[in-house]
Amino acid sequence: MVFRVPPFLLPILFLASHVGAAVDLTLLASLRLTDPQRFFLTCVSGEAGAERGSDAWGPPLLLEKDDRIVRAPPGPPLRLVRNGSHQVTMRGFSRPADLVGVFSCVGGAGARRTRVIYVHNSFGAHLLPDKVTHTVNKGDTAVLSARIHKHKQTDVIWKSNGSYFNTLDWQEAEDGRFLLPFPNVQPPSSGIYSATYLDASPLGSAFFRLIVRDCGAGRWGPSCTKECPSCLHGGVCHDHDGDCVCPPGFTGTRCEQACREGRFGQSCQEQCPGISGCQGLTFCLPDPYGCSCGSGWKGSQCQEACAPGHFGADCRLQCQCQNGGTCDRFSGCVCPSGWHGVHCEKSGWGDWASNPMRGMSAPVGAPG
């Protein structure tokens, strides 16, 4: 196994100036359909003033495909449909090759201008990622795992931001997977990675995005001296401003409250399109969160409901309900009267009324 130091990151992929709370910006990718002509990407801004025109929001939302790393054959131009300054949708994909690669949405004004990134893999690729987005802390061990979908007795080339990084012999696969470990990973290792059979098309690669926070676990700030809040329900502490970036379907300063089913955004103000709610949608949020399925869904196409006892984005969370609480796959423990808390472990209405974490079992957000 041969390693090389990753090249410098491409500026277009990692524009990220964060001042204050993270920008309320979501990039939605529809995975319900394999027909590329019906595939769409939508960028939605929930920033205050975003719906009152470009003067309030500043520069308009930008939604684009980045061909610097993954270049598909030229095709018809993609169509952009705008809904004021609040939303922009990209359509017009004519073939599966158009979908593969890196897409981004840019929103916010001035120092808050932020880029949200989405990486799309071909469902028919030779290698597929077990997980596309990996968010880790400085000093952690990260492992990228490429699952064999179509076996070939050929070496596998790993690339970082489009440049050669590592080679694995085809016999080094473990349990049908090629693994790329990063012990003691550092922020310069962040980027877009791919695993490809040596003689295969790059469009058949497994593509990943590795996000390395600038601080160790539980810390944030210029010198990483400040302590992160306890972000709940899979929220990620922002390494620059200390705020919790909440998974889709949760809100609050610590991501303590669940939105109503089918809602997302920092104030649960947005509603998933279609009659099937957020099924089949990938949600990408500002770094260091990255991308995931919506709350209550999992799988490579976000089509699978959580198994009993599990909930949240990608169904990564497990209910541990007490005192008669029941597990809801979208919001977690639903507590009976007189009980509250993450696990329904707290009783007493007086304590509940004065507790800033109250209402965790009561989803917020107006019904659609």
Side-chain angles (χ1 to χ4, degrees):
M1 183 182 296
V2 179
F3 286 95
R4 291 186 180 181
V5 177
F8 289 107
L9 306 181
L10 295 177
I12 190 169
L13 289 179
F14 301 102
L15 167 69
S17 296
H18 300 271
V19 176
V23 172
D24 191 356
L25 191 65
T26 304
L27 179 55
L28 294 174
S30 170
L31 304 179
R32 295 189 181 99
L33 304 165
T34 56
D35 178 3
Q37 295 183 2
R38 302 178 67 184
F39 180 86
F40 67 86
L41 293 166
T42 298
C43 183
V44 182
S45 167
E47 290 289 289
E51 296 186 50
R52 295 199 296 269
S54 59
D55 290 341
W57 171 243
L61 293 175
L62 298 178
L63 182 55
E64 55 195 3
K65 184 176 183 183
D66 182 1
D67 289 327
R68 297 193 180 194
I69 291 179
V70 187
R71 186 179 298 276
L78 299 173
R79 300 191 306 272
L80 290 177
V81 180
R82 295 187 177 275
N83 179 13
S85 57
H86 170 68
Q87 180 175 313
V88 59
T89 296
M90 178 183 288
R91 299 181 183 273
F93 301 91
S94 60
R95 58 201 168 170
D98 295 336
L99 306 180
V100 181
V102 181
F103 300 84
S104 63
C105 174
V106 184
R112 288 172 55 79
R113 196 75 168 156
T114 300
R115 183 180 297 273
V116 174
I117 298 171
Y118 167 67
V119 179
H120 189 91
N121 285 265
S122 169
F123 298 131
H126 291 92
L127 300 172
L128 294 172
D130 277 329
K131 181 181 178 183
V132 178
T133 301
H134 293 256
T135 296
V136 296
N137 302 298
K138 178 181 178 180
D140 286 353
T141 295
V143 180
L144 306 184
S145 173
R147 174 170 48 88
I148 298 174
H149 185 218
K150 299 177 182 178
H151 181 73
K152 293 173 69 70
Q153 294 185 359
T154 308
D155 291 350
V156 169
I157 299 295
W158 287 86
K159 292 184 178 181
S160 169
N161 293 328
S163 298
Y164 171 77
F165 181 66
N166 181 34
T167 301
L168 290 178
D169 186 276
W170 67 272
Q171 298 183 73
E172 292 187 69
E174 302 177 19
D175 296 325
R177 289 165 170 80
F178 292 99
L179 305 179
L180 182 65
F182 291 84
N184 190 29
V185 68
Q186 299 298 307
S189 294
S190 297
I192 305 294
Y193 289 80
S194 63
T196 315
Y197 281 119
L198 185 60
D199 60 352
S201 166
L203 298 178
S205 306
F207 292 99
F208 307 82
R209 182 154 187 250
L210 177 62
I211 303 170
V212 184
R213 296 178 67 253
D214 285 340
C215 296
R219 314 301 296 183
W220 72 277
S223 301
C224 302
T225 56
K226 300 181 180 181
E227 186 174 349
C228 287
S230 177
C231 302
L232 302 173
H233 296 131
V236 180
C237 175
H238 200 291
D239 41 352
H240 295 170
D241 57 41
D243 291 326
C244 294
V245 182
C246 297
F250 289 92
T251 186
T253 56
R254 295 176 58 201
C255 314
E256 67 271 15
Q257 289 186 287
C259 303
R260 295 188 185 276
E261 179 184 348
R263 311 290 294 197
F264 67 97
Q266 288 184 1
S267 300
C268 304
Q269 76 278 5
E270 309 294 343
Q271 184 167 3
C272 291
I275 60 175
S276 54
C278 299
Q279 182 181 13
L281 294 175
T282 285
F283 294 75
C284 298
L285 303 173
D287 290 354
Y289 183 84
C291 303
S292 71
C293 298
S295 185
W297 302 101
K298 66 176 182 176
S300 61
Q301 299 182 46
C302 300
Q303 296 274 17
E304 304 172 38
C306 297
H310 292 78
F311 74 103
D314 288 336
C315 304
R316 289 192 295 253
L317 305 174
Q318 188 168 358
C319 286
Q320 298 177 346
C321 307
Q322 304 173 19
N323 300 306
T326 58
C327 184
D328 179 272
R329 65 186 176 95
F330 299 101
S331 60
C333 291
V334 178
C335 304
S337 178
W339 296 94
H340 63 101
V342 179
H343 310 297
C344 307
E345 74 280 13
K346 299 178 181 180
S347 64
W349 291 110
D351 174 59
W352 184 88
S354 61
N355 191 335
M357 302 293 291
R358 65 187 182 274
M360 293 180 60
S361 61
V364 298

